[in-house]
Amino acid sequence: MMSLQKKLKHCVNEIKEQGETEAKAIQIGSKDRSKKRVEASCFVSMEVGRKMANMLGTDHDLNFKETELCLGLPGGIAVVAAGNETESSSSPKTNGKRGFSETVDLKLNLQSKESTMDLNKNLDDNGSKEKSGSAKDPAKPPAKAQVVGWPPVRSYRKNIMANQKNSSEESGNSGAALVKVSMDGAPYLRKVDLKMYKSYQELSDALAKMFSSFTMGNYGPQGMIDFMNESKLMDLLNSSDYVPSYEDKDGDWMLVGDVPWQMFVDSCKRLRIMKGSEAIGLAPRAMEKCKSRA
Amino acid sequence: MQKEMAYSFPDEVLKHVFSFIQSDKDRNAVSLVCKSWYEIERWCRRKVFIGNCYAVSPRMVIRRFPEVRSIELKGKPHFADFNLVPDGWGGYVLQWIAEMAGAYPWLGEIRLKRMVVTDESLELIAKSFKNFKVLVLFSCEGFSTDGLAAIAASCKNLRELDLRESEVDDLSGHWLAQFPETCTSLVSLNISCLGSDEVSFSALERLVDRCPNLRSLQLNRAVTLDKIANILRRAPQLVDFGTGNYAAELQPDVFSNLAGAFSSCKELKSLSGFWDVVPAYLPALYSICPRLTSLNLSYATIQSPDLIKLVSHCPRLQRLLFLIQVLDYVEDSGLEELASSCKDLQELRVFPSDPFGVEPNVSLTEQGLVAVSLGCPKLQSVLYFCRRMSNAALVTIAQNCPNLTRFRLCIIEPKTPDYLTLEPLDAGFGAIVEHCKDLRRLSLSGLLTDHVFEYIGTYGKKLEMLSVAFAGDSDLGLHHVLSGCESLRKLEIRDCPFGDKALLANAAKLETMRSLWMSSCAVSFGACKLLGQKMPKLNVEVIDETEPPDSRPESYPVDKLYIYRSVAGPRFDMPPFVWSMDEAVKILH
């Protein structure tokens, strides 16, 4: 019990010391005033810290060491810099995290592609060097970097602006293409922003992450279904438990993969992951539409 | 002597007195005076506001307040607006409706924000409450026009149907026709969020025709400009109007018809909508501009000169929301014009048209906001997106506008320093909190160190809501806020190096707040578990979509953390990616 209290007092003293060194740099008035203010706030924190210490002290079962709550910051997490991928990748903890995801083979390509500055998200170091080529310039975030949820503009507003732009020069970044994704049997809908992905493979990876029992079948070199070959199509539908379908601009439900990726992004209104057996019903219509386009 | 005093007022008298007390805070104070006042008050409370639907259970509310007529509930955390809260997180209203259906047959008003509302919930509302009058679904989702049809068909005395910013599955426009011919009670209708291309316009027209008390109408984008005149002529009593589309080929007869229709609306004070604006039609508004107090052009893709011209006709403007366009010449001039003509301006919101644009278009800078602060001394509420800021500008703004109650500044690039001195913006925001003594809401951006939090902790005594992103150096920053801001209710933080120390040292503070959100910070799983164990009145929830937090060492930081006080205990509607740190809830994955 004593050691716990000691440890907490030590922590509070740490905060106080930090505050005092900071106080010297503060320019909000006289040195004395600022120091007093910091002292006052440290007094308050000491009071609370003391309360915490008392609270924790009464629990004999608390094994401080086991929970590693020695009130030191977890290793390698002091990421204050530009949030560049290479900097955070030097931290041993994030390496460990990456290792886990590698064994699960979840290929988080979409995140490295977008070069999110999310500090704790795991980043595929190799992938980022290939795709964004930003590793050489650590000071600035890579061009076209999109951080999730930043700037804080509501998707409602983003979608409206996207629809208003008649000709979008920056097709990758103007607004979002949020579509709902439902999966037969799953209790709730998800939403994806199609503009975050550059290919069917990336979309597949993202969907796999969201709906763990789903994987897309083999879609050929372009990532597109070969509708012309009926037997190949039937093989695909029979072999997969789940098949993604989408509602296009005309309101028709089509199989995902029938058109080139960009055309799909422009025309997809919503996604539905359905059972392969049900999807067979869509196939003839998809083939018809495909033939009429050719 | 004191006992006699208590008996000298019969209950009916006290009840009558209490009926004049409307505010929740006052009512809560009344209920604490003594047991008998508590009893009397709870039987006559008619309105309940629940800021976090998980802070209390429906049963508890019903038990304490048996005669409620109006309820307001909020669900998801604010950062859900920016896609930081995964779908399926929660905020379902169905259970509330189900329990209230039995307990409150006279419930007349339901207001929901950021909640998941299903068609089933809407149908239940339609079936259960005979005196249903007001339904406001602000930023909600999960329902379709089928649910709306049920409401329209069953609610004979519906006064208000407001779907602002909600996501509706628009299956068909025919739900509007479900309003019976006998329904004449509508006062407010907001369908601006509906996307369908087929709004049953004739049904809308007939509805507007037969509702003489309609004061507020917001149309959706599908309604074309030529239809506006028809609607306005049927409802000249409108006070608040949202156009649909405001674009069409310029035709003189359409223009004069529209201008005439607008001028016939003598009470019109507030305008919004304006998707796809054709500037040539803006002069149709000039006749009502002198009366306008509120103008929302935040979806209007109009250029600065047209905006300036329009705004210069509106001297009484108190509230202006608009969108900054990417242009070659400086937009600040527009704001300067605004500052000179709209002296009564209280609220200004400036949205970015191209938030992800890489090129820093110098179309709007801090100068615009400085100009407004100089010219509009009544300014209280600011939401401003821009690409550069300086401490000097912020100090000027703070000194010019000491009455600011809400200040939200978003410098688009994270960690942008003062563009003149390249220093952090600590001093600037410090000036804001120091001079604006009534500041209740603050959102920070730009390059910020722990110092800014010291200022906030020192001066932000009335601060209730603080949003922080990409700021701070250490736990000291968070500690300043939690230990200094006495009135703090909501704190939301993302991408800051705040960890366990400050959180644990200030654990008791969390019970005095509504909620705390931290994502992409440095709070360890172990600390979350400790908080969950030691603070039974807090629900500590860890959100992680990639893997369970206990599959990693305890010192590992959690992805997202949401802590809120609750008397209802942990919730049981959590999806697989949300873990409760409550001891009683075992991890069942």
Side-chain angles (χ1 to χ4, degrees):
Chain A
M1 213 194 297
M2 274 297 284
S3 62
L4 282 176
Q5 283 180 330
K6 256 195 190 165
K7 275 185 175 160
L8 270 155
K9 275 206 177 146
H10 176 70
C11 143
V12 167
N13 283 334
E14 257 182 62
I15 293 181
K16 189 184 172 192
E17 272 166 44
Q18 243 184 306
E20 281 178 21
T21 50
E22 302 287 278
K24 284 169 193 161
I26 288 172
Q27 291 163 1
I28 39 169
S30 75
K31 268 189 187 170
D32 283 345
R33 247 201 299 149
S34 61
K35 213 179 170 187
K36 271 188 192 146
R37 212 173 285 127
V38 171
E39 274 172 6
S41 69
C42 282
F43 177 78
V44 170
S45 76
M46 273 176 75
E47 282 301 310
V48 177
R50 207 171 287 136
K51 283 180 194 158
M52 264 308 277
N54 289 336
M55 210 169 63
L56 290 175
T58 54
D59 186 351
H60 298 274
D61 293 330
L62 187 70
N63 187 337
F64 232 27
K65 281 214 169 92
E66 189 187 281
T67 57
E68 284 189 270
L69 285 175
C70 297
L71 301 169
L73 291 174
I77 305 298
V79 212
V80 178
N84 183 275
E85 302 140 8
T86 49
E87 285 189 52
S88 56
S89 70
S90 63
S91 144
K93 285 285 188 286
T94 49
N95 275 337
K97 204 173 168 179
R98 207 175 294 124
F100 177 90
S101 83
E102 267 164 12
T103 57
V104 174
D105 200 28
L106 271 181
K107 275 186 278 177
L108 295 172
N109 291 324
L110 56 94
Q111 291 189 352
S112 62
K113 190 76 176 190
E114 290 310 316
S115 315
T116 59
M117 295 200 280
D118 195 327
L119 301 172
N120 292 324
K121 277 279 188 283
N122 129 40
L123 297 161
D124 187 341
D125 205 26
N126 292 330
S128 72
K129 279 182 182 143
E130 281 165 29
K131 281 154 192 165
S132 64
S134 65
K136 293 158 196 168
D137 181 9
K140 275 197 178 144
K144 301 213 172 186
Q146 264 197 50
V147 179
V148 175
W150 190 268
V153 176
R154 296 199 50 206
S155 41
Y156 178 70
R157 192 172 284 282
K158 271 194 272 182
N159 271 348
I160 289 178
M161 292 316 301
N163 290 337
Q164 281 178 334
K165 284 198 172 167
N166 294 325
S167 58
S168 45
E169 293 95 282
E170 310 165 315
S171 57
N173 275 333
S174 54
L178 286 173
V179 296
K180 288 188 187 166
V181 187
S182 62
M183 175 155 149
D184 290 358
Y188 46 86
L189 293 181
R190 306 306 300 271
K191 272 192 283 227
V192 290
D193 178 359
L194 292 178
K195 291 226 162 102
M196 298 228 341
Y197 315 116
K198 295 284 183 283
S199 70
Y200 283 115
Q201 186 59 46
E202 286 184 13
L203 177 63
S204 155
D205 292 340
L207 291 178
K209 202 171 77 159
M210 281 181 219
F211 300 102
S212 50
S213 51
F214 163 72
T215 43
M216 249 154 79
N218 191 339
Y219 268 54
Q222 299 289 327
M224 286 170 57
I225 297 178
D226 184 2
F227 279 93
M228 296 312 186
N229 188 333
E230 193 173 332
S231 65
K232 238 190 188 175
L233 179 64
M234 286 309 165
D235 279 344
L236 175 71
L237 294 178
N238 284 323
S239 65
S240 324
D241 285 330
Y242 288 99
V243 168
S245 61
Y246 72 102
E247 185 183 0
D248 71 3
K249 276 200 171 120
D250 306 328
D252 295 325
W253 282 92
M254 314 294 294
L255 288 174
V256 168
D258 57 342
V259 295
W261 172 254
Q262 197 51 51
M263 210 188 287
F264 166 71
V265 172
D266 290 336
S267 65
C268 172
K269 272 170 48 181
R270 64 186 295 169
L271 281 164
R272 181 181 155 203
I273 301 177
M274 56 203 308
K275 291 240 157 77
S277 44
E278 273 187 58
I280 287 178
L282 289 182
R285 203 174 350 135
M287 282 169 61
E288 280 307 311
K289 212 162 180 177
C290 202
K291 281 174 187 159
S292 68
R293 272 195 214 109
Chain B
M1 190 60 185
Q2 282 174 334
K3 266 192 186 164
E4 286 172 36
M5 291 267 293
Y7 293 142
S8 67
F9 287 110
D11 288 1
E12 299 83 58
V13 174
L14 278 173
K15 247 186 161 174
H16 183 69
V17 172
F18 293 169
S19 68
F20 293 101
I21 299 170
Q22 300 291 342
S23 100
D24 289 326
K25 261 181 83 177
D26 293 340
R27 283 234 161 209
N28 291 343
V30 159
S31 67
L32 291 174
V33 168
C34 62
K35 275 194 176 157
S36 65
W37 279 36
Y38 175 93
E39 276 301 307
I40 297 166
E41 193 282 319
R42 78 182 187 91
W43 278 96
C44 65
R45 183 150 347 183
R46 298 279 175 264
K47 267 177 81 157
V48 176
F49 167 77
I50 294 162
N52 174 5
C53 64
Y54 291 119
V56 66
S57 72
R59 205 152 293 180
M60 285 169 158
V61 176
I62 291 167
R63 198 168 55 213
R64 177 166 174 193
F65 301 116
E67 304 245 326
V68 165
R69 303 267 193 273
S70 157
I71 189 154
E72 183 173 347
L73 286 164
K74 294 190 182 178
K76 300 186 206 173
H78 173 240
F79 272 177
D81 284 355
F82 315 125
N83 295 332
L84 287 176
V85 177
D87 282 343
W89 172 85
Y92 305 104
V93 80
L94 184 60
Q95 203 214 342
W96 284 90
I97 309 286
E99 302 239 22
M100 293 191 299
Y104 297 147
W106 295 108
L107 189 69
E109 303 182 1
I110 295 178
R111 294 178 171 84
L112 306 175
K113 185 169 183 182
R114 271 187 227 108
M115 293 200 76
V116 178
V117 183
T118 54
D119 283 346
E120 194 187 342
S121 308
L122 292 175
E123 282 152 20
L124 196 51
I125 292 174
K127 231 178 17 189
S128 315
F129 306 114
K130 299 303 164 202
N131 199 30
F132 199 66
K133 296 207 172 70
V134 172
L135 182 63
V136 176
L137 302 177
F138 188 166
S139 200
C140 294
E141 54 164 356
F143 60 102
S144 76
T145 43
D146 285 353
L148 295 176
I151 297 282
S154 311
C155 302
K156 310 215 182 308
N157 295 315
L158 196 65
R159 268 199 344 237
E160 223 178 292
L161 180 61
D162 184 341
L163 307 173
R164 66 175 83 169
E165 296 183 35
S166 289
E167 251 184 64
V168 186
D169 231 343
D170 209 334
L171 302 175
S172 112
H174 297 299
W175 69 275
L176 268 172
Q178 296 300 311
F179 279 106
E181 291 300 315
T182 49
C183 173
T184 58
S185 48
L186 267 187
V187 172
S188 168
L189 179 64
N190 183 340
I191 53 170
S192 54
C193 61
L194 292 183
S196 156
D197 285 324
E198 14 148 335
V199 167
S200 172
F201 194 76
S202 52
L204 180 63
E205 273 186 323
R206 284 198 310 275
L207 185 59
V208 171
D209 238 342
R210 62 180 186 269
C211 294
N213 295 322
L214 193 66
R215 289 273 181 275
S216 174
L217 176 65
Q218 276 79 31
L219 304 171
N220 64 334
R221 201 167 168 193
V223 177
T224 51
L225 183 137
D226 51 304
K227 302 242 169 60
I228 294 178
N230 287 347
I231 290 282
L232 288 177
R233 288 203 194 279
R234 285 165 214 270
Q237 74 283 2
L238 280 177
V239 173
D240 181 7
F241 180 62
T243 73
N245 227 290
Y246 206 72
E249 266 186 35
L250 185 57
Q251 288 167 324
D253 50 332
V254 173
F255 181 92
S256 56
N257 197 11
L258 187 59
F262 269 118
S263 64
S264 72
C265 296
K266 303 291 180 202
E267 318 268 346
L268 205 47
K269 290 215 181 66
S270 162
L271 282 181
S272 59
F274 296 107
W275 287 282
D276 308 319
V277 172
V278 160
Y281 275 106
L282 287 174
L285 302 167
Y286 287 171
S287 61
I288 48 164
C289 281
R291 282 188 299 253
L292 283 184
T293 57
S294 168
L295 188 54
N296 180 349
L297 297 167
S298 60
Y299 300 110
T301 51
I302 65 175
Q303 314 283 7
S304 176
D306 298 311
L307 177 66
I308 293 175
K309 238 190 289 176
L310 184 62
V311 161
S312 64
H313 280 85
C314 309
R316 291 242 198 97
L317 214 55
Q318 290 170 1
R319 183 172 191 261
L320 177 64
L321 282 61
F322 69 96
L323 192 65
I324 282 301
Q325 294 303 295
V326 177
L327 288 179
D328 290 328
Y329 46 91
V330 177
E331 295 279 10
D332 294 331
S333 58
L335 286 172
E336 280 154 25
E337 185 62 46
L338 176 73
S340 63
S341 50
C342 304
K343 293 298 176 192
D344 286 338
L345 199 69
Q346 292 171 13
E347 180 177 355
L348 176 71
R349 294 195 196 191
V350 177
F351 295 95
S353 64
D354 190 14
F356 306 111
V358 175
E359 297 309 307
N361 48 75
V362 195
S363 54
L364 183 87
T365 69
E366 82 288 1
Q367 292 306 316
L369 187 55
V370 171
V372 173
S373 76
L374 209 56
C376 307
K378 296 189 188 170
L379 202 61
Q380 279 178 24
S381 169
V382 170
L383 169 62
Y384 201 77
F385 283 81
C386 62
R387 288 196 148 87
R388 75 175 200 202
M389 187 48 65
S390 67
N391 283 309
L394 283 170
V395 170
T396 306
I397 292 164
Q399 288 168 341
N400 289 340
C401 295
N403 297 322
L404 282 176
T405 54
R406 283 170 295 201
F407 188 74
R408 292 191 279 165
L409 179 67
C410 178
I411 304 165
I412 289 180
E413 185 63 37
K415 304 197 186 174
T416 304
D418 178 329
Y419 78 99
L420 294 169
T421 64
L422 296 184
E423 282 178 2
L425 290 168
D426 301 335
F429 279 105
I432 295 276
V433 285
E434 184 176 357
H435 291 277
C436 306
K437 307 227 183 289
D438 292 325
L439 196 69
R440 287 192 321 256
R441 185 170 178 182
L442 178 64
S443 297
L444 306 172
S445 58
L447 181 65
L448 297 164
T449 71
D450 286 343
H451 291 328
V452 72
F453 298 110
E454 173 157 11
Y455 293 131
I456 292 172
T458 304
Y459 295 111
K461 295 306 177 191
K462 297 227 181 124
L463 199 63
E464 294 177 6
M465 182 169 176
L466 179 65
S467 306
V468 185
F470 304 101
D473 309 311
S474 74
D475 274 56
L476 199 59
L478 180 57
H479 175 68
H480 283 311
V481 171
L482 288 178
S483 57
C485 297
E486 293 159 3
S487 313
L488 196 63
R489 290 190 299 118
K490 290 180 277 185
L491 180 58
E492 46 185 27
I493 302 173
R494 62 162 297 174
D495 293 275
C496 297
F498 300 146
D500 300 344
K501 266 194 219 173
L503 200 58
L504 291 176
N506 292 285
K509 170 75 175 175
L510 299 177
E511 277 182 9
T512 69
M513 294 165 51
R514 184 188 294 175
S515 65
L516 168 66
W517 168 280
M518 291 179 75
S519 56
S520 305
C521 296
V523 180
S524 72
F525 181 53
C528 296
K529 285 212 302 195
L530 185 63
L531 268 176
Q533 283 168 18
K534 293 296 150 195
M535 311 289 293
K537 291 195 208 144
L538 293 179
N539 280 359
V540 180
E541 293 178 9
V542 171
I543 301 170
D544 196 323
E545 289 184 276
T546 52
E547 53 201 359
D550 64 350
S551 65
R552 303 183 296 247
E554 289 207 348
S555 57
Y556 230 74
V558 297
D559 182 24
K560 294 172 182 166
L561 173 62
Y562 187 51
I563 302 175
Y564 55 92
R565 66 178 172 187
S566 174
V567 293
R571 60 185 178 113
F572 292 100
D573 61 358
M574 293 179 290
F577 51 83
V578 177
W579 283 269
S580 164
M581 298 295 106
D582 194 280
E583 280 212 303
V585 176
K586 297 298 174 194
I587 296 169
L588 297 161
H589 302 292

